[in-house]
Amino acid sequence: MSEYRLAEKPTLDALTALGYEPLSPETAMAMRQEENRVILKPVLVEALQSLNGMSASDAEAIYAELSTLSDNEEWQRKLRGAHTRKLTGEAQGRNIALIDFKHPERNSFHVVRQFRVAAQRSRIPDIVVFVNGIPLVVIEAKCPLKATAKAEEAFEQIKQYERDIPRLFYSNAFNLVTDGITTLYGATGSPSQFYAPWPDAWPRQRADFPDDLSKDIWCLLEPSRLLDLLAHFIVFETDPETGRKIKKVCRYQQFRAVNKAVARVAEGKLKKGLIWHTQGSGKSLTMVFLALKLKTHLTLDAPSLANPNILVLTDRIDLDDQISKTFVACGLPNPTQAASVSALREAVARGGSGQILLSTIFKFAGSDQPIPNSDNWIVLVDECHRTQEKDLGAYLQATLPDARFFGLTGTPIKSTDKDTYARFSEPGEGYLDKYGIDDAVRDGATVPILYEGRKTDWSINEAELDILFDRWFVDLPDEKREQLKAKGLSLATIAKHPERVRLIAFDIWEHFKQVCRPDGFKAQIVCVDREAVVLYRAALASVIAPDLLKCGMDETEAKTKADAMIACVFSKSQEDNKPSEDPDVAALRTELEGWYLDDAAEKDAKKRFKAFGEEPSFLIVCDKLLTGFDAPIEAVMYLDKPLKEHGLLQAIARTNRTCSLKRPDGVEIEKPHGRIVDYIGVTNHLDEALASYRAEDVQNALRDIGILRNDLKEAHARYARQKRLMGLDGMDEKAAAYVVGRMAAEDREDDWFELQRLARNFIRVYGDLSPDPAILEFTADVKWAAAFLRLATQVISKDESVDHKSYTGKIRDMLEEHVHVTGLSTTIRLRSITDPNFADDFEVEEKTEEELQEAFVRKSAELRRVTRELVDKNPAQYGRFSERVLEIIRRFEEGQIAAAEGLRDFEDLTGGINAEQGAHADLGIDERAFSILRIVEALAPDVDHASVQAAAIQIGDLYAAALRDQPSWFFMDGYKKDLRKAVRPILRASGVSDAAAVCEKIEEFAVHAYAGTP
């Protein structure tokens, strides 16, 4: 009831306040006609007639068509008006409106709770939102007071619905999960890490709403906003590397910026706007959403939006290609790349309407003759601050004098950059929309970037080059030293000293092994020039190979592996293959030629770098891949090249992408932050480098690792205080776990929840800072906290703890060692019921009370897991065992039985499970047929056993034959229907009265039991 009272009912109330009409499950069921259908038929039929002026028979026919539509992207197209049909009495087909986007009041908005959908595994989502009878949003509500991780539980529930009742999600726009306090939304099929909040209620304020739930429901489901999201802010992007379609819904900053820009065009008064959305926050998709709404503008009418032409400009060919691919991947109509200046001018001058043109700003260089018809062009300029170089912005404006200009950038505009503000901002406005570095980190759109300077004696101060030269090159012969000096001292000369490169390569490898390698993250090394790239490659390979040799690889394998771990990406020079009498120059040119990657090889290297578990682990670069290269798996940038201002901001942002990796053992690891490891000293002057920006725009561009040291001290202090207040100081992990277990049983769960939260945060911050030496004083406390959490979770929930799975590899390895050493592994690592040692805990003689309690906790966790797995296979057969496990645990927790008696009950229960699993052999029938027998017995207990057994064998043979004849039968609706037709008469013949209901339960079991190998 608390889930309904605290989460579900407030959500329903908020929707009702917005104008949604609530329907009872029974009323909705009558509209659906059958429980396996999801469209409210009379509502849709009425809407089709009202919106399109069609007959009832035509509306019924369209309903029938839509009922069979099972592709989410095709549903999206039809919802947006791309449904064409010839109506009765009409000569030609016309577009059919399923929704009136411009007039929300002409649509019907309904909400239904406890919406049961019949399927192989029937499910009942908490809340479903309908527009014109079509289910568009599924909401899962979870009680905020539950001890379980409410967010994970809600996501798992949504995943289960998407798997078991896919029909409900064919037309789905997105899903919500809410506990009545926090609300997250995500596109159909999205993993949990892509669910996000909607914190900004623009154009309203948070103060306009009584609570966060009301604000969130308004932001996402207020009728006109829901229609806007549906019409313009959902795309299906094809991954160019895998070919897989990925559905994406906008984030709030994209929705806000696009609507501000479109409103400006629609009003027709102001012609410019500057948008800063920090790197990694989806700027390319913002351009897609903006182009999509400018082109289709389904929710508004304006003369200035009458099929405008859109010109998208970038400052580099590779960005032009990237954005072009994004537009194409998202299915935007008619994106065309202008390959030459003449093609660009011709397309613009040609006029017409509805063009989407993609090009580079450099096409406008030297162009000062205005092109006619430019008033119908909207120009979107990516990285717009770069357009001011070489007067390109002036040429652009002279060529398209009457166009509207919107500048987008991923880095803030310098406060001294008057030209960019003049070209793209209205007077006094600054940014039309800003989504800064802090905004993105706060929302989890990007991760924070930590900075650490390494070995100050490796840093290079350009003002002290002579001193550094004498220090680093003291061992060179005088003649060689004079030759180098004669060429002119440079930072690059010092940076490439062989001993310096060797020492830094060693440091990089040691750092990488601790920070990246345990979890599979990767790194970029940025060098001062092309020569330094190959020098670092050789030095790093010579460090890695001997380390691999120590791990048991043979010499050849170690060298091959070390080479595979490193890829060099740099541009070719015409000097590279020239002969030279200088042996050092000749050797260098040979190296450059040997490690150069052509376009195809570079593309392959980048693809493999982005892939978890594949090599290379390092990309070594000097100029390439410092902007526009998105590889979320990159966690560290080792910086040995001086970078400035925009160049610095763009480069370091390579590490700020969010990333979740799934290890082979099933553990998911979230990247906590990016790291910049500075070897050259450039970021020692970060404040100076960024002084030309407004302080509030860049104050957290980089966070010194010293801040994290303070965070660790604070996290430890908070955790230690709570531990002390609960009286746990001085106890070992097991004793503390049982004390907390008693507290939880005495209604002091809040204390446990708070300690759990603080301990997890302490461990997380410790892992973030590792391998910094500052962690060493906290290591013992981290080990205690982690082991305690795992034990306490078992004691309190009588279930297997998965806390350790969220830890990073470097922390997990340390904790596993600790767990093994302290002997806790026998408590934590649960055994299967088939394990020969499973019954050890049932020996209650000569055990202390603490040992009996420990055995009871372990058996509770093991049997809960065993029975969950069995019930998942066949609820009718094993449901009673699961209920009995929970009943024994309840009696123990309430003090009705002691641990020893509980263990005897568990022993008896285990015997019953083993007997049930072997019962089919006693009857001489197939195990799956026996499971069918149990289903029939549970639903028709009065029917003669012998006839039911014969029917079960016959039905089992039917499904076994289906698996042999058509291994994918469970995906084929027609095949399943034929099987149902064959099963029902068998059941009736054996005396089962409600054959249809029993048949449905048998099919639920069969689609899993008779799937896979015959």
Side-chain angles (χ1 to χ4, degrees):
M1 280 302 292
S2 58
E3 184 175 288
Y4 172 73
R5 180 174 58 85
L6 296 172
E8 195 173 323
K9 186 176 186 304
T11 302
L12 289 166
D13 290 344
L15 287 166
T16 304
L18 292 176
Y20 287 82
E21 180 183 345
L23 298 176
S24 69
E26 296 74 23
T27 303
M29 182 63 247
M31 294 179 174
R32 292 158 58 199
Q33 299 181 313
E34 295 180 20
E35 260 195 337
N36 65 342
R37 299 191 181 190
V38 297
I39 296 174
L40 308 180
K41 181 180 178 181
V43 179
L44 176 59
V45 168
E46 182 181 342
L48 288 169
Q49 290 182 266
S50 172
L51 299 180
N52 299 279
M54 65 176 63
S55 66
S57 60
D58 280 330
E60 293 264 358
I62 292 172
Y63 161 78
E65 287 178 4
L66 295 175
S67 296
T68 63
L69 184 60
S70 59
D71 181 77
N72 190 239
E73 184 176 11
E74 186 60 24
W75 256 109
Q76 183 75 28
R77 290 181 64 253
K78 292 185 183 300
L79 287 167
R80 288 174 171 172
H83 187 51
T84 305
R85 181 181 172 82
K86 187 187 292 185
L87 301 179
T88 304
E90 296 183 5
Q92 293 184 327
R94 61 177 165 108
N95 284 349
I96 304 300
L98 305 184
I99 293 173
D100 188 334
F101 287 98
K102 289 186 173 66
H103 306 95
E105 69 280 359
R106 295 190 65 201
N107 304 291
S108 297
F109 296 87
H110 292 95
V111 58
V112 182
R113 66 176 294 265
Q114 298 302 302
F115 188 79
R116 186 179 192 276
V117 180
Q120 287 79 15
R121 292 191 176 191
S122 302
R123 300 295 177 198
I124 309 176
D126 289 335
I127 299 171
V128 181
V129 170
F130 296 82
V131 177
N132 292 342
I134 301 168
L136 293 183
V137 181
V138 173
I139 304 176
E140 184 61 20
K142 287 297 172 192
C143 173
L145 302 182
K146 281 191 176 179
T148 52
K150 54 183 176 286
E152 290 179 12
E153 188 179 342
F155 293 133
E156 288 174 1
Q157 198 83 59
I158 290 286
K159 290 288 124 196
Q160 186 182 59
Y161 297 154
E162 290 180 336
R163 180 196 69 190
D164 294 342
I165 48 173
R167 186 168 295 172
L168 183 61
F169 296 88
Y170 292 157
S171 57
N172 179 269
F174 52 84
N175 301 308
L176 269 64
V177 296
T178 183
D179 64 356
I181 299 170
T182 300
T183 301
L184 305 173
Y185 74 104
T188 321
S190 288
S192 59
Q193 66 263 31
F194 294 116
Y195 274 67
W198 193 292
D200 184 9
W202 177 90
R204 297 178 67 182
Q205 302 293 323
R206 168 62 183 85
D208 297 339
F209 301 91
D211 51 47
D212 284 336
L213 178 63
S214 300
K215 182 263 294 178
D216 292 335
I217 296 298
W218 181 86
C219 287
L220 289 156
L221 296 177
E222 188 278 324
S224 64
R225 287 172 70 95
L226 174 59
L227 297 190
D228 194 12
L229 286 166
L230 184 65
H232 309 119
F233 293 97
I234 296 174
V235 294
F236 291 80
E237 186 172 1
T238 303
D239 187 319
E241 294 173 357
T242 65
R244 192 166 65 92
K245 284 281 183 73
I246 303 170
K247 184 177 182 179
K248 296 185 176 182
V249 183
C250 73
R251 295 303 186 216
Y252 73 93
Q253 76 274 9
Q254 295 168 323
F255 181 86
R256 184 182 66 205
V258 167
N259 275 313
K260 285 181 180 179
V262 172
R264 181 156 290 186
V265 175
E267 289 166 2
K269 296 176 183 176
L270 305 177
K271 288 192 153 189
K272 296 184 291 186
L274 180 58
I275 297 170
W276 168 32
H277 283 191
T278 195
Q279 294 177 87
S281 61
K283 181 164 57 69
S284 293
L285 271 181
T286 301
M287 297 178 79
V288 169
F289 293 132
L290 178 52
L292 181 62
K293 185 156 187 177
L294 288 170
K295 286 285 293 180
T296 60
H297 51 90
L298 296 179
T299 57
L300 72 165
D301 277 322
S304 52
L305 287 172
N307 209 11
N309 297 304
I310 299 172
L311 172 60
V312 180
L313 296 176
T314 66
D315 72 320
R316 290 198 327 280
I317 293 173
D318 58 339
L319 268 183
D320 180 36
D321 187 53
Q322 175 187 322
I323 291 176
S324 174
K325 287 177 179 175
T326 303
F327 274 51
V328 172
C330 294
L332 212 63
N334 306 321
T336 304
Q337 282 182 280
S340 67
V341 177
S342 58
L344 176 65
R345 294 186 68 87
E346 181 184 342
V348 176
R350 184 168 57 241
S353 58
Q355 299 184 68
I356 297 182
L357 212 56
L358 306 170
S359 190
T360 58
I361 187 67
F362 302 110
K363 299 290 196 302
F364 288 87
S367 173
D368 56 6
Q369 294 301 310
I371 298 176
N373 306 317
S374 64
D375 59 330
N376 196 33
W377 282 84
I378 300 169
V379 184
L380 312 181
V381 184
D382 190 37
E383 297 302 342
C384 56
H385 60 278
R386 296 284 299 276
T387 64
Q388 305 319 309
E389 298 174 7
K390 301 176 183 178
D391 296 322
L392 293 172
Y395 288 127
L396 171 63
Q397 203 151 28
T399 307
L400 298 167
D402 299 317
R404 296 172 177 85
F405 290 92
F406 290 95
L408 295 94
T409 181
T411 52
I413 304 302
K414 294 169 64 176
S415 55
T416 55
D417 186 354
K418 307 299 183 188
D419 288 338
T420 300
Y421 285 110
R423 305 272 182 231
F424 297 101
S425 290
E426 292 295 336
E429 180 177 72
Y431 299 112
L432 173 64
D433 194 75
K434 171 188 169 182
Y435 186 71
I437 297 164
D438 286 352
D439 296 321
V441 171
R442 180 199 62 222
D443 293 341
T446 62
V447 295
I449 302 174
L450 297 179
Y451 160 74
E452 56 182 303
R454 304 286 284 184
K455 302 288 187 182
T456 53
D457 53 329
W458 292 341
S459 298
I460 299 175
N461 185 334
E462 292 188 67
E464 300 173 354
L465 285 182
D466 283 319
I467 298 171
L468 289 171
F469 181 85
D470 290 336
R471 183 198 308 169
W472 279 102
F473 294 93
V474 67
D475 295 330
L476 279 183
D478 290 343
E479 182 182 344
K480 188 70 174 176
R481 290 174 70 213
E482 290 307 315
Q483 283 180 0
L484 284 174
K485 275 196 174 182
K487 290 180 179 178
L489 285 183
S490 68
L491 179 144
T493 307
I494 304 293
K496 293 182 290 188
H497 185 284
E499 183 64 10
R500 181 179 183 275
V501 171
R502 186 188 71 79
L503 288 171
I504 291 177
F506 178 80
D507 192 65
I508 286 174
W509 176 239
E510 290 300 314
H511 186 273
F512 180 85
K513 282 194 300 181
Q514 292 180 296
V515 172
C516 292
R517 205 177 185 204
D519 293 313
F521 292 112
K522 301 188 181 184
Q524 236 179 318
I525 302 173
V526 183
C527 303
V528 70
D529 59 20
R530 297 184 326 129
E531 179 179 345
V533 169
V534 294
L535 290 174
Y536 266 109
R537 198 222 66 80
L540 191 59
S542 67
V543 171
I544 295 174
D547 216 7
L548 298 178
L549 201 60
K550 292 177 189 175
C551 298
M553 288 188 187
D554 63 50
E555 190 171 350
T556 303
E557 185 184 2
K559 185 180 184 309
T560 302
K561 172 72 172 175
D563 285 339
M565 290 178 70
I566 309 165
C568 301
V569 180
F570 56 89
S571 300
K572 200 170 182 63
S573 167
Q574 59 185 2
E575 300 287 322
D576 290 348
N577 59 1
K578 283 184 178 180
S580 175
E581 294 181 1
D582 185 327
D584 292 337
V585 173
L588 172 63
R589 289 175 178 174
T590 301
E591 284 284 292
L592 285 167
E593 283 202 281
W595 296 108
Y596 171 73
L597 301 179
D598 61 22
D599 287 345
E602 180 182 322
K603 183 178 180 181
D604 180 61
K606 290 190 290 188
K607 179 180 178 181
R608 287 184 284 106
F609 179 78
K610 294 178 182 181
F612 174 64
E614 293 189 28
E615 300 296 357
S617 294
F618 295 95
L619 287 180
I620 307 182
V621 305
C622 54
D623 293 311
K624 279 190 165 187
L625 309 189
L626 295 183
T627 59
F629 175 61
D630 285 345
I633 201 169
E634 183 179 329
V636 180
M637 175 176 282
Y638 297 103
L639 193 58
D640 198 33
K641 175 178 181 169
L643 297 170
K644 297 179 182 179
E645 298 174 348
H646 276 108
L648 176 62
L649 286 177
Q650 289 180 321
I652 65 176
R654 299 312 101 212
T655 66
N656 79 347
R657 275 44 172 183
T658 60
C659 183
S660 177
L661 299 180
K662 191 163 189 176
R663 293 161 47 99
D665 59 5
V667 173
E668 287 196 20
I669 298 296
E670 299 284 340
K671 185 169 83 176
H673 47 245
R675 286 189 189 231
I676 303 300
V677 181
D678 175 22
Y679 289 102
I680 207 159
V682 63
T683 41
N684 290 337
H685 308 290
L686 184 66
D687 290 341
E688 178 185 328
L690 301 180
S692 58
Y693 301 98
R694 293 188 302 184
E696 65 270 20
D697 289 349
V698 293
Q699 59 186 354
N700 287 319
L702 284 177
R703 300 179 182 181
D704 193 288
I705 204 163
I707 295 173
L708 205 57
R709 296 188 188 112
N710 292 332
D711 289 347
L712 178 60
K713 290 176 183 176
E714 183 178 345
H716 175 262
R718 291 173 180 270
Y719 151 77
R721 180 178 181 275
Q722 181 68 13
K723 179 184 170 188
R724 184 173 63 255
L725 290 174
M726 293 174 68
L728 305 180
D729 279 354
M731 296 184 183
D732 66 27
E733 301 94 323
K734 285 186 181 180
Y738 285 108
V739 168
V740 171
R742 287 192 291 274
M743 288 181 180
E746 295 166 1
D747 292 329
R748 290 184 58 192
E749 276 190 322
D750 286 349
D751 289 341
W752 153 240
F753 293 155
E754 182 65 5
L755 181 60
Q756 188 179 42
R757 181 184 69 82
L758 293 172
R760 284 174 173 164
N761 185 57
F762 170 45
I763 295 168
R764 180 188 61 78
V765 178
Y766 177 98
D768 289 349
L769 189 56
S770 175
D772 189 90
I775 68 171
L776 297 178
E777 64 176 292
F778 302 102
T779 299
D781 283 351
V782 161
K783 289 178 177 180
W784 191 98
F788 162 76
L789 282 178
R790 298 162 81 174
L791 287 164
T793 302
Q794 285 186 292
V795 169
I796 293 167
S797 68
K798 309 299 183 292
D799 205 350
E800 180 179 12
S801 167
V802 294
D803 283 334
H804 62 289
K805 290 186 177 181
S806 64
Y807 301 151
T808 63
K810 56 191 175 185
I811 297 300
R812 196 166 49 253
D813 292 345
M814 179 192 75
L815 297 179
E816 288 300 331
E817 180 183 354
H818 172 65
V819 165
H820 177 71
V821 168
T822 58
L824 297 177
S825 56
T826 55
T827 303
I828 294 166
R829 296 198 178 106
L830 305 187
R831 294 170 294 206
S832 166
I833 197 171
T834 58
D835 190 311
N837 299 319
F838 182 83
D840 290 352
D841 287 324
F842 297 139
E843 297 293 331
V844 297
E845 303 299 329
E846 299 182 1
K847 283 182 180 174
T848 66
E849 183 59 31
E850 184 177 338
E851 288 171 336
L852 288 170
Q853 288 202 24
E854 185 177 322
F856 182 86
V857 167
R858 181 166 46 246
K859 275 292 163 284
S860 300
E862 288 169 345
L863 286 170
R864 279 188 68 171
R865 185 176 67 180
V866 166
T867 54
R868 269 202 308 262
E869 292 170 353
L870 292 171
V871 167
D872 206 36
K873 293 178 181 177
N874 192 339
Q877 185 175 4
Y878 292 104
R880 68 185 188 278
F881 295 107
S882 177
E883 292 169 3
R884 192 173 165 203
V885 168
L886 297 177
E887 175 63 16
I888 294 169
I889 292 172
R890 183 190 63 76
R891 292 175 63 211
F892 172 78
E893 289 180 338
E894 293 179 357
Q896 297 179 22
I897 57 173
E901 187 180 349
L903 287 168
R904 282 191 284 270
D905 287 344
F906 279 149
E907 184 177 21
D908 180 56
L909 174 70
T910 301
I913 292 172
N914 288 329
E916 180 67 20
Q917 290 181 314
H920 68 280
D922 297 337
L923 291 177
I925 67 175
D926 173 77
E927 184 176 4
R928 293 179 293 190
F930 181 75
S931 295
I932 293 172
L933 169 63
R934 287 297 199 218
I935 293 171
V936 181
E937 286 177 339
L939 296 174
D942 299 330
V943 179
D944 176 65
H945 176 79
S947 61
V948 169
Q949 182 174 325
I953 294 170
Q954 193 176 352
I955 293 168
D957 290 342
L958 273 175
Y959 281 108
L963 181 58
R964 285 193 304 272
D965 298 341
Q966 179 51 263
S968 298
W969 69 271
F970 44 87
F971 286 129
M972 305 167 67
D973 289 341
Y975 210 109
K976 288 191 290 187
K977 185 177 180 181
D978 290 343
L979 285 168
R980 290 195 293 270
K981 286 181 178 178
V983 168
R984 284 194 287 264
I986 296 172
L987 291 170
R988 293 191 188 100
S990 66
V992 175
S993 57
D994 193 358
V998 176
C999 179
E1000 180 183 324
K1001 291 298 180 185
I1002 290 173
E1003 188 179 271
E1004 284 184 27
F1005 165 75
V1007 295
H1008 297 280
Y1010 293 90
T1013 306

